[in-house]
Amino acid sequence: KLVEKYPMLQSPEVAAALFKSKSCVTDEAKFIGSILSFTRLCCKSHTINFDEPPEGSDKKEDSKAKANSELLAKFVRLDQAAYTWFKNGFAMRPNLEERVQVKEGYVTKWETKKLSPPEQEMKLTAALEEACDVINRLMENQYFLERPQSLLFELGRCRCLKGESSVVLKTIANLGHKYEGFMNYKE
């Protein structure tokens, strides 16, 4: 509500600062949603012209081009911050092992247990869906819609899209099956 009330806070720099905060790297869906909503609020009032200014333009055009260039630089910094945030939050998801307590007589110890293939499939599909949801929400902003390369690069490096080809294809197919085809994804 503060950002809505004070337009000067509606800046990609404010959103970039939020993404750079270590406390924002979380797997809590409610916090991720809040971070993305805040980012949309900070960016929605800005429009970037991605076209190159024509040569030989007048001073009025030059001042507009300079302002656009400065705004674009702010969004590039936001892109870098969002890219790092996404990488830190999603690169190693999901954890395909779990720590369990094992009792042997009077001794209790911790062991690492690998999840079964069906459990892994469920976790990988959920992680891919969450990562796609985050990218989808970021793409509500004009800059990310026009220049999604860094986020797509990081999505490709996520654990849910790494590993054996058959596992990756199965994960993608599971996500498509969940929505009865990708055309129905999150309508």
Side-chain angles (χ1 to χ4, degrees):
K1 297 202 184 264
L2 197 62
V3 174
E4 291 173 339
K5 189 174 180 181
Y6 297 102
M8 67 201 103
L9 291 176
Q10 294 178 5
S11 167
E13 293 166 315
V14 174
L18 179 67
F19 280 124
K20 288 178 182 178
S21 169
K22 292 201 185 323
S23 62
C24 287
V25 177
T26 178
D27 18 348
E28 295 281 335
K30 63 182 177 185
F31 294 131
I32 291 172
S34 298
I35 292 165
L36 297 172
S37 295
F38 183 81
T39 302
R40 186 174 25 82
L41 275 174
C42 289
C43 299
K44 74 178 182 180
S45 64
H46 301 285
T47 305
I48 305 168
N49 182 6
F50 288 98
D51 299 329
E52 293 292 321
E55 290 187 31
S57 56
D58 61 0
K59 291 200 184 271
K60 187 176 179 183
E61 295 280 329
D62 285 345
S63 65
K64 282 184 181 178
K66 184 178 179 187
N68 188 60
S69 177
E70 290 171 0
L71 181 62
L72 188 58
K74 291 175 184 179
F75 272 96
V76 167
R77 287 190 292 276
L78 171 63
D79 182 38
Q80 292 167 344
Y83 166 88
T84 303
W85 173 80
F86 186 84
K87 177 181 170 183
N88 292 338
F90 293 92
M92 297 308 293
R93 282 190 203 175
N95 190 0
L96 299 177
E97 300 172 337
E98 61 182 21
R99 304 267 298 152
V100 293
Q101 275 188 332
V102 178
K103 267 191 164 187
E104 292 179 2
Y106 294 105
V107 178
T108 303
K109 60 182 180 177
W110 286 94
E111 288 184 359
T112 303
K113 176 186 140 196
K114 193 167 180 137
L115 297 175
S116 69
E119 290 172 320
Q120 286 183 9
E121 281 179 32
M122 287 178 13
K123 283 198 164 206
L124 288 169
T125 303
L128 177 59
E129 182 178 12
E130 188 176 359
C132 288
D133 287 346
V134 167
I135 288 177
N136 200 23
R137 294 273 309 271
L138 281 170
M139 300 277 279
E140 292 173 357
N141 298 310
Q142 180 201 10
Y143 179 85
F144 293 109
L145 189 60
E146 292 285 332
R147 298 196 175 161
Q149 297 89 340
S150 62
L151 293 173
L152 292 175
F153 175 76
E154 238 359 275
L155 177 64
R157 294 176 63 186
C158 287
R159 181 180 280 169
C160 56
L161 292 177
K162 286 289 188 190
E164 293 180 36
S165 300
S166 60
V167 174
V168 172
L169 284 172
K170 200 169 202 175
T171 302
I172 293 170
N174 284 341
L175 185 60
H177 180 71
K178 182 176 180 178
Y179 292 99
E180 298 175 358
F182 289 107
M183 295 304 290
N184 299 323
Y185 177 75
K186 301 283 182 178
E187 286 184 351

